[in-house]
Amino acid sequence: MERLRSSPLHANISTALDKHLESIHVVQARRKDEIVNPSNRQRHGPPRCQDERVVLALAVALRALCQATRKARTVLWCAFQMTLPK
């Protein structure tokens, strides 16, 4: 889009996209932690405290990813509108 405009886009656009990519990496890491978690999920009884922490961390990361995705979509739409010829 910067090439189409012949000028750089606003700094907030690249910041939002960087934050979105960072959020994706955090969710991937939390998901990996959940999969690698050494607890045996076949046991019966109340969930272990460690399991709850891992799942809660994943939920927090997913929430941050959702917010970053909304912001990225908005800034991409703004960048697209600024790129269109008048």
Side-chain angles (χ1 to χ4, degrees):
M1 284 189 239
E2 290 175 339
R3 289 185 198 153
L4 293 173
R5 271 188 89 208
S6 303
S7 65
L9 294 171
H10 197 274
N12 288 347
I13 294 172
S14 59
T15 302
L17 294 176
D18 290 341
K19 188 167 184 172
H20 184 253
L21 183 61
E22 181 184 330
S23 297
I24 290 171
H25 290 184
V26 170
V27 168
Q28 288 174 339
R30 297 299 174 258
R31 181 67 175 124
K32 189 180 293 185
D33 291 344
E34 183 187 29
I35 291 171
V36 175
N37 192 6
S39 67
N40 185 356
R41 298 200 186 274
Q42 298 298 327
R43 293 185 201 167
H44 298 289
R48 297 178 61 198
C49 186
Q50 183 66 21
D51 289 342
E52 292 174 359
R53 277 190 234 136
V54 170
V55 172
L56 184 60
L58 178 61
V60 169
L62 283 172
R63 182 177 185 196
L65 176 62
C66 182
Q67 292 171 345
T69 301
R70 286 184 191 148
K71 184 153 187 153
R73 287 174 48 199
T74 302
V75 298
L76 285 174
W77 181 85
C78 291
F80 174 69
Q81 293 299 316
M82 292 181 344
T83 304
L84 290 175
K86 293 182 181 187

